[in-house]
């Protein structure tokens, strides 16, 4: 069965599941997306790896995995989301060392956090996209207009909608930079990303 390459479309807070986030993957050659519910730590780890301006003061678990792998010449070639059972996605890391390939089982959220750090491609199979993929029209600010819900995945529309809030409208640019430094020091990377976006909008 042929593999379909996916890309990360975005991450948003779940309105219906406390402490959960929706990671949305999109097929490279098509309009289907694959929404996956992940935890707060994994969401932060993926978001940090995607950012270029935010670096944690100490390495996160997935950063440590990358450093360990680099030190011992292990490469993550690709991630494959290969199975879907009762709404749970199963993934594999395809690794290589000295020309020898190994496949390691991993949670999908961890696998993607690692894939981003290795700049490794993410794949899934057609049957998984057929079961769990939905068609979305992605607008600016990651707004969602219409969707058809899968029977296998119970995911409410509000899980994917990013709220258009303006929490920093009364904060000066200098204060924003101070808040960004404090957020990074406190390892509150979700807040740091929002502040960085606000600074970028004003630049």
């Amino acid at each position: 069965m042929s593999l379909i390459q996916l890309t990360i479309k975005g991450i948003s807070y779940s309105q219906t599941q406390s402490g959960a986030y929706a990671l949305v993957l999109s097929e490279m050659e098509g309009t289907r997306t694959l929404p996956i519910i992940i935890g707060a730590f994994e969401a932060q780890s993926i978001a940090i790896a995607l950012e270029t301006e935010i670096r944690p003061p100490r390495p996160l678990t997935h950063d440590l995995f990358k450093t360990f792998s680099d030190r011992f010449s292990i490469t993550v070639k690709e991630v494959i989301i290969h199975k879907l059972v009762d709404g749970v996605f199963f993934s594999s890391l395809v690794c290589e060392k000295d020309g020898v390939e190994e496949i390691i089982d991993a949670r999908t959220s961890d696998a993607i956090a690692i894939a981003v750090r290795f700049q490794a491609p993410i794949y899934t199979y057609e049957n998984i996209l057929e079961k769990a993929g939905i068609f979305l029209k992605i607008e600016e600010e990651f707004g969602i207009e219409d969707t058809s819900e899968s029977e296998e995945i119970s995911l409410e529309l509000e899980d994917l909608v990013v709220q258009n809030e303006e929490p920093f409208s009364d904060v000066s640019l200098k204060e924003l930079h101070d808040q960004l430094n404090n957020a990074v020091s406190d390892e509150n990377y979700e807040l740091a990303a929002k502040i960085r976006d606000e600074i970028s909008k004003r630049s």
Side-chain angles (χ1 to χ4, degrees):
M1 189 179 297
S2 62
L3 292 170
I4 298 172
Q5 187 169 358
L6 304 171
T7 185
I8 298 174
K9 181 63 69 175
I11 304 172
S12 68
Y13 184 72
S14 171
Q15 302 290 317
T16 58
Q17 297 189 38
S18 178
Y21 288 75
L23 168 66
V24 181
L25 304 176
S26 175
E27 61 178 330
M28 298 281 285
E29 304 291 337
T31 59
R32 288 174 297 181
T33 59
L34 200 63
I36 301 172
I37 299 300
I38 62 175
F41 171 77
E42 292 80 6
Q44 285 190 354
S45 183
I46 293 170
I48 289 168
L50 293 171
E51 293 288 342
T52 57
E53 300 178 18
I54 298 175
R55 286 292 175 266
R58 301 293 296 152
L60 301 179
T61 303
H62 300 113
D63 297 323
L64 177 60
F65 183 94
K66 175 67 163 62
T67 302
F68 178 89
S69 300
D70 289 344
R71 187 65 56 89
F72 291 95
S73 303
I74 301 169
T75 301
V76 174
K77 296 175 59 179
E78 60 190 22
V79 165
I80 301 176
I81 303 172
H82 61 85
K83 187 166 64 173
L84 173 62
V85 179
D86 297 329
V88 178
F89 294 91
F90 291 75
S91 295
S92 297
L93 296 173
V94 181
C95 306
E96 185 180 69
K97 176 178 170 60
D98 299 331
V100 178
E101 190 173 280
E102 296 285 349
I103 298 177
I104 301 174
D105 182 40
R107 295 189 309 165
T108 297
S109 54
D110 289 329
I112 292 174
I114 291 169
V116 173
R117 286 165 169 80
F118 279 88
Q119 297 183 337
I122 303 167
Y123 297 99
T124 193
Y125 293 106
E126 175 64 32
N127 65 321
I128 293 178
L129 267 178
E130 284 180 357
K131 288 195 293 185
I134 58 178
F135 291 91
L136 294 179
K137 183 178 180 182
I138 306 297
E139 302 292 343
E140 290 184 3
E141 301 299 327
F142 198 45
I144 295 173
E145 290 192 345
D146 52 21
T147 181
S148 58
E149 191 171 85
S150 165
E151 293 180 359
E152 285 73 20
I153 299 297
S154 176
L155 186 65
E156 298 298 329
L157 178 62
E158 55 264 32
D159 284 343
L160 303 177
V161 177
V162 172
Q163 302 300 316
N164 293 320
E165 299 175 349
E166 298 294 339
F168 306 112
S169 55
D170 297 328
V171 181
S172 70
L173 194 57
K174 181 182 182 304
E175 290 174 320
L176 284 175
H177 282 286
D178 292 339
Q179 289 185 18
L180 176 60
N181 291 332
N182 291 335
V184 172
S185 297
D186 294 339
E187 299 188 6
N188 188 346
Y189 304 118
E190 180 187 359
L191 176 60
K194 291 179 180 178
I195 296 173
R196 193 269 309 160
D197 290 341
E198 178 66 21
I199 291 174
S200 296
K201 284 197 298 185
R202 298 190 189 185
S203 300

